[in-house]
Structures are given as C-alpha cells and as structure tokens.
Amino acid sequence: MTSTVPASLTRTAEGAALQAVFLDMDGTLVDTEGFWWDVEVEVFADLGHRLDEAWREVVVGGPMTRSAGYLMEATGADVTLDELTVLLNDRFEKRIGRGVPLMPGAARLLAELRRHEIPTALVSASHRRIIDRVLDSVGHHHFGLTVAGDEVSRTKPHPEPYLTAAHGFGADPRLCAVIEDTATGVAAAEAAGCAVVAVPSVSPIAAAEGRVVVGSLEEVNLTFLRSLIN
C-alpha cells in the first residue's frame, strides 16, 4: 500500500456518513481491460499458442497469478508463472506508455471527489509498477492511498485489498463506497462490507442487495455515492 497524502476523514453536515471512496483501476477508471487481453494474446502468440476468445471472460478482473495461471493451464505453454508475469507486465507497461484513456465520466468524478476532500483510494489487482505508470497519466494527486495486487497477501476476490484501504484511512468499510467493473472486484468489495457500484466492462453484473449497477461513471457523482450509505 502506498499513501501519497495524509489520510483524512473530512466530514460535512450533508452526507456525513460516507467516509471514503475506493475505485478499481482497469476497466473502471481507465479503459485498459482490452489492453490486458491484447497483451495476453500477443505474449502467448510469441510462445506459440493461440488464445480462445471465450477465455477472456474467465481472466478479466482477476489477479495476475490467477489469470496467467489459467492461461498457462489452458494452453499448456512451456513457461513458469514468474516468467509469464514478467512478460505480461513488461508488454503491458510498454503498451500504456503510449497513453491511457480514461473511462467516460472518470475525470469529472475524480475532480469532484478531490474538490469535496473525500478520501479516495485506488484499489487494483495490478502490480505496483503498473499502477504507478498508469497514475503518471491519470494523476497521483487524486488518491490519498493506493493498494496494489502484489502488496497484499490475498488479492481480489478476497476482501483484503478493500479492508487494507479502509484501514489506511481509518474508515469503517461499511461507510465506504466502492466502484468496480468485474464480478471478481465486486465480490471483494462486498466481502469487505462496502457499498458497491458496479460498472460492468467485459462481462455483465446483476444488481443485488447492497449493489447498484450503472452503465458508466457518467451516472455517478458524490450525491449518488452518499445515497448508498445508510
């Protein structure tokens, strides 16, 4: 976990219950889920294997160890998990070096949260090196802390990443709102006890108790997030 500014639970009379907002990165904040699949296809092609498009929904949103491990098993590629992780991260880092597109509504939402001094964290299954490179484009200043997948002992769908973020802010997870784009991330946030906004990217996500599903971040603002906390 990396903290970039002192944690603060600034409150106002209106919507005082919301203590913090946590955002996933790939597919939620930045339009990079497609980048990851393209990179996986390219790397496995170099290894002499062709990926089935149907596998994309299986690996989306998961930690590197799970997604890479699944593709290794599915293809029978002659490579170790450590070697494959390096290959994928190297290729992805090169890819995002050409620019990282924000999801619709992301810039406006980040600016609103910062303007109202809402503690905001980025919580991703991606590794630290990837998060830092993405934030070079998005802006490190938007986040009071960031949690990377290689900095926790158990990553999504386990609740540890979101519990770690809440602890970093000294916040009650039940008074935090999470924005996620995959079922894996939603499961992690719900297991942590957070209110969840799902913005599906690759695969559909059904509405459920304690979970709201929207079409894009353009439908999400601070008033909306405050309304989720009872």
Side-chain angles (χ1 to χ4, degrees), residues 78-93:
D78 184 18
V79 63
T80 68
L81 182 59
D82 286 344
E83 290 169 342
L84 182 56
T85 296
V86 171
L87 290 173
L88 291 170
N89 276 328
D90 285 350
R91 188 73 63 93
F92 187 77
E93 191 169 1

Side-chain angles (χ1 to χ4, degrees), residues 9-31:
L9 293 181
T10 303
R11 294 185 172 208
T12 60
E14 178 185 359
L18 178 66
Q19 292 187 346
V21 174
F22 307 143
L23 294 99
D24 173 55
M25 188 174 75
D26 296 299
T28 300
L29 179 64
V30 291
D31 191 6

Side-chain angles (χ1 to χ4, degrees), residues 45-65:
D46 291 345
L47 295 171
H49 298 275
R50 182 176 180 178
L51 300 188
D52 190 318
E53 184 69 24
W55 298 340
R56 182 176 182 180
E57 289 195 14
V58 179
V59 300
V60 66
M64 176 73 73
T65 52

Side-chain angles (χ1 to χ4, degrees), residues 3 10 26 37 57 64 68 72 85 89 114 149 163 214 224:
S3 179
T10 303
D26 296 299
W37 179 247
E57 289 195 14
M64 176 73 73
M72 285 172 58
T85 296
N89 276 328
R114 182 171 172 79
L163 293 175
V214 299
F224 176 85

Side-chain angles (χ1 to χ4, degrees), residues 3-209:
S3 179
T4 55
V5 298
S8 171
L9 293 181
T10 303
R11 294 185 172 208
T12 60
E14 178 185 359
L18 178 66
Q19 292 187 346
V21 174
F22 307 143
L23 294 99
D24 173 55
M25 188 174 75
D26 296 299
T28 300
L29 179 64
V30 291
D31 191 6
T32 50
E33 285 291 9
F35 286 13
W36 275 113
W37 179 247
D38 291 346
V39 163
E40 288 161 347
V41 168
E42 292 169 7
V43 167
F44 275 89
D46 291 345
L47 295 171
H49 298 275
R50 182 176 180 178
L51 300 188
D52 190 318
E53 184 69 24
W55 298 340
R56 182 176 182 180
E57 289 195 14
V58 179
V59 300
V60 66
M64 176 73 73
T65 52
R66 193 198 74 182
S67 57
Y70 174 86
L71 294 175
M72 285 172 58
E73 183 176 351
T75 60
D78 184 18
V79 63
T80 68
L81 182 59
D82 286 344
E83 290 169 342
L84 182 56
T85 296
V86 171
L87 290 173
L88 291 170
N89 276 328
D90 285 350
R91 188 73 63 93
F92 187 77
E93 191 169 1
K94 182 178 180 180
R95 179 70 180 270
I96 61 179
R98 301 197 293 266
V100 182
L102 284 168
M103 297 297 286
R108 187 263 316 147
L109 178 60
L110 289 175
E112 182 180 14
L113 294 174
R114 182 171 172 79
R115 186 169 63 252
H116 289 274
E117 300 183 324
I118 303 299
T120 304
L122 184 69
V123 182
S124 176
S126 290
H127 289 189
R128 169 57 54 192
R129 59 181 287 198
I130 300 300
I131 288 179
D132 287 345
R133 178 56 66 90
V134 169
L135 289 182
D136 286 343
S137 296
V138 175
H140 294 262
H141 62 282
H142 289 296
F143 301 97
L145 62 84
T146 57
V147 180
D150 57 339
E151 295 174 339
V152 291
S153 58
R154 294 162 295 186
T155 189
K156 303 173 186 179
H158 194 275
E160 183 179 344
Y162 285 111
L163 293 175
T164 299
H167 178 75
F169 281 141
D172 183 340
R174 296 169 298 178
L175 301 180
C176 298
V178 171
I179 305 176
E180 274 278 2
D181 73 303
T182 67
T184 299
V186 166
E190 290 179 342
C194 303
V196 178
V197 180
V199 192
S201 58
V202 175
S203 302
I205 298 173
E209 184 178 355

